[in-house]
């Protein structure tokens, strides 16, 4: 997945915006103000930080050398994924799972608003 494809995929999710709170080099993808993905799209290798269920995070780190505890993040709940080191299908699933985890933590009224969007 290229940086452009990563950005486009993240922006496909309902109510997602791209912001730059950490400077112009770091894209932060949020749903209703809550971050679900973070990436320096110009970095080499290309990596993305994604929220993950803690049990799944450990399993994924054991299986893939390209998945590590989240850099500068809560390492129990976030992984840093080197994009070139995982299958594209898995990367898309991890991004979607991250989005879904963040949405699940939103207040019920906001979740319902997303469902209608």
């Amino acid at each position: 997945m290229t940086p452009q494809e990563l950005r486009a995929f993240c922006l496909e999710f309902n109510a997602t915006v791209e912001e730059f709170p950490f400077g112009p080099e770091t894209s932060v993808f949020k749903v209703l103000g809550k971050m679900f993905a973070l990436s320096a799209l110009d970095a080499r290798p290309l990596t993305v930080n994604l929220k993950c269920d803690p049990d799944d995070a450990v399993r994924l780190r054991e299986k893939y050398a390209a998945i590590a505890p989240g850099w500068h993040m809560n390492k129990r709940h976030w992984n840093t994924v080197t994009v070139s080191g995982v299958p594209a299908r898995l990367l898309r699933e991890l991004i979607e799972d991250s989005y879904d985890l963040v949405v699940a933590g939103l207040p019920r009224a906001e979740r319902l608003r997303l469902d209608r969007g």
Side-chain angles (χ1 to χ4, degrees):
M1 186 177 284
T2 68
Q4 297 79 14
E5 290 169 335
L6 177 62
R7 171 185 277 132
F9 186 72
C10 287
L11 290 171
E12 285 179 11
F13 295 99
N14 196 8
T16 296
V17 297
E18 179 182 20
E19 296 180 352
F20 301 89
F22 306 118
E25 67 283 342
T26 305
S27 294
V28 176
F29 299 94
K30 295 180 175 183
V31 55
L32 299 182
K34 302 291 184 180
M35 177 172 56
F36 72 91
L38 176 144
S39 180
L41 294 172
D42 291 335
R44 297 297 173 262
L46 178 61
T47 63
V48 60
N49 283 5
L50 299 167
K51 192 163 183 132
C52 191
D53 172 82
D55 293 331
D56 290 340
V58 171
R59 182 182 53 77
L60 288 162
R61 293 171 195 163
E62 290 172 352
K63 185 171 182 178
Y64 297 96
I67 300 179
W71 188 68
H72 284 300
M73 307 294 281
N74 178 328
K75 291 168 183 8
R76 179 168 154 72
H77 295 277
W78 290 84
N79 280 334
T80 297
V81 180
T82 301
V83 171
S84 62
V86 296
R89 180 178 175 184
L90 174 62
L91 180 61
R92 287 189 298 273
E93 289 173 3
L94 294 173
I95 294 168
E96 185 174 355
D97 288 349
S98 182
Y99 175 89
D100 289 344
L101 280 169
V102 171
V103 167
L106 293 171
R108 184 173 183 270
E110 289 183 352
R111 288 194 315 270
L112 290 173
R113 197 171 75 208
L114 279 176
D115 289 342
R116 288 188 219 115

